[in-house]
Amino acid sequence: MQTEVLLPLIAYLLLVFGLSVYAYTRREQGNFLTEYFLGNRSMGGFVLAMTLTATYISASSFIGGPGAAYKFGLGWVLLAMIQLPAVWLSLGVLGKKFAILARRYNAVTLNDMLFARYQSRLLVWLASLSLLVAFLGAMTVQFIGGARLLETAAGIPYDTGLLIFGISIALYTAFGGFRASVLNDAMQGLVMLLGTILLLVAVIHAAGGLHSAVDKLQQIDPKLVSAHGGGDVLSLPFMASFWVLVCFGVIGLPHTAVRCISYKDSKAVHRGIVLGTLVVAVLMFGMHLAGALGRAILPDLKIPDQVIPTLMITVLPPYAAGIFLAAPMAAIMSTINAQLLQSSATIVKDLYLGVKPEQLTNERKLKRFSSWATFVLGLLVLLAAWRPPEMIIWLNLLAFGGLEAVFLWPLVLGLYWERANATGALSSMIVGAVCYTLLASIDLHIAGLHPIVPSLLLSLLAFYVGNTFGKPPRETAFKPS
């Protein structure tokens, strides 16, 4: 183990726990569920931008994405930049309307909004189960990324690192709730920015300058400096699919959507859009370019996902490497705590209280149940991450696509189409989930498109067809204004 690398990381983790304790002491009295899962909707613009960015930027962005850039070259850096409008789209499409209606109906989860809109308990159960299954896969990716970082950069065995990482996150998320999550996200966003800039400068310097690095990539494989990428994977259908999957479809991700009902006021939204887009631009460009140029320094890596942690200990002094190690750790931890809280909220609010609504007034029991649900979920994901795949980016994209195929149209059309009804929404969710699962399982790419594209098109069609057979929304139900 490398002590010089570990000491800054330990200091960072202590700071995370300190912020969690601070958030716990700052909890406001009142509705426990709104405080624990939404922080009483008190986020300002800076915190909103950072929590959205930190939730969106994950192990895939710091580990899997740069690993793909290492393997496929500079073309993947250009591909990564199509994620630039993700924050703008999420806040622009959902934003004010979503937050106003969430306050009107005292919604704590995305499924609360779906129930208020469609008045279907069956739809809530289907959405809840879909969310839990997909989040288990998505969180497994983050746990794998964290353990691989500790293994490669600090010399900690994978299993040991996984235990340290998993138990730490489960504890601080269960203890601090949403307020701790967003405070840590704000800090972690700044850490990610600093670490990204630090590593990219060090990589370019170690390669002898940008021009020298590109020349070395050209010598290794000319495809690495082409727009199509090494292996010719970056075809037009693939790029279009990738944009749908990691940018447009992000609107339907539950842990992103819940951030859009947790901010304080309109000024926070406007600041969040600008700051969030700038931060995403710097992080995506910096990390993917570092991964691509890293091949000029480390041409023979067997596992592409190891490029960032290996570069970190190769081009940075030990203490600087330890400081940088906090950046991908921040990305991973912020994504996990958002997904853990959303999963816990689904279990407590959508499933448990859906069966036992009389427990809503039992605040002491809800506090205990919420914390234990969060902690136990974290341990289950830890077990799922015990035997990792080689490249985690594909597992992460699989979980992303599943959530988008289920939630995107019921959420967006529920907000903007007054005639949308429960039958249409259920049809869309079922067709989207089944279609995506089948196409992804057999790895079928129709016309070269990722399974998310035909899945979203078919689920949109299913929404329209199902809507013609369903009953119009009742007057008492939520209707867009």
Side-chain angles (χ1 to χ4, degrees), residues 34-109:
T34 304
E35 168 60 34
Y36 186 80
F37 293 118
L38 293 180
N40 272 341
R41 312 182 202 272
S42 58
M43 281 193 295
F46 174 76
V47 175
L48 175 63
M50 287 303 183
T51 191
L52 263 175
T53 303
T55 300
Y56 178 67
I57 303 289
S58 63
S60 181
S61 307
F62 268 80
I63 305 296
Y70 175 91
K71 183 174 181 178
F72 299 120
L74 295 176
W76 197 277
V77 180
L78 294 176
L79 180 69
M81 295 310 294
I82 64 177
Q83 302 174 68
L84 190 61
V87 171
W88 174 75
L89 279 172
S90 296
L91 287 174
V93 173
L94 300 179
K96 295 180 183 179
K97 194 169 193 175
F98 201 56
I100 290 169
L101 296 170
R103 283 168 168 78
R104 182 186 301 173
Y105 291 92
N106 197 29
V108 174
T109 67

Side-chain angles (χ1 to χ4, degrees), residues 45-46 48-50 52-53 84-89 91-92 193 266-282:
F46 174 76
L48 175 63
M50 287 303 183
L52 263 175
T53 303
L84 190 61
V87 171
W88 174 75
L89 279 172
L91 287 174
L193 279 172
S266 297
K267 187 182 293 185
V269 177
H270 300 148
R271 288 179 178 172
I273 288 174
V274 175
L275 289 174
T277 301
L278 288 174
V279 173
V280 168
V282 173

Side-chain angles (χ1 to χ4, degrees), residues 6 34 62 70 139 149 192 238 309 335 358 369 381 383 398 421 445 447 457 461:
L6 279 176
T34 304
F62 268 80
Y70 175 91
M139 287 188 290
L149 270 175
M192 284 188 273
F238 179 86
T335 301
E358 69 275 5
F369 187 51
V381 176
L383 292 175
L398 181 67
N421 61 42
H445 297 263
L457 290 174
L461 178 62

Side-chain angles (χ1 to χ4, degrees), residues 2-10 153-154 312-313 318-319 321-323 325:
Q2 300 185 35
T3 306
E4 297 92 342
V5 175
L6 279 176
L7 286 177
L9 179 63
I10 292 171
M312 183 186 72
I313 59 176
Y319 282 108
I323 294 170
L325 181 58

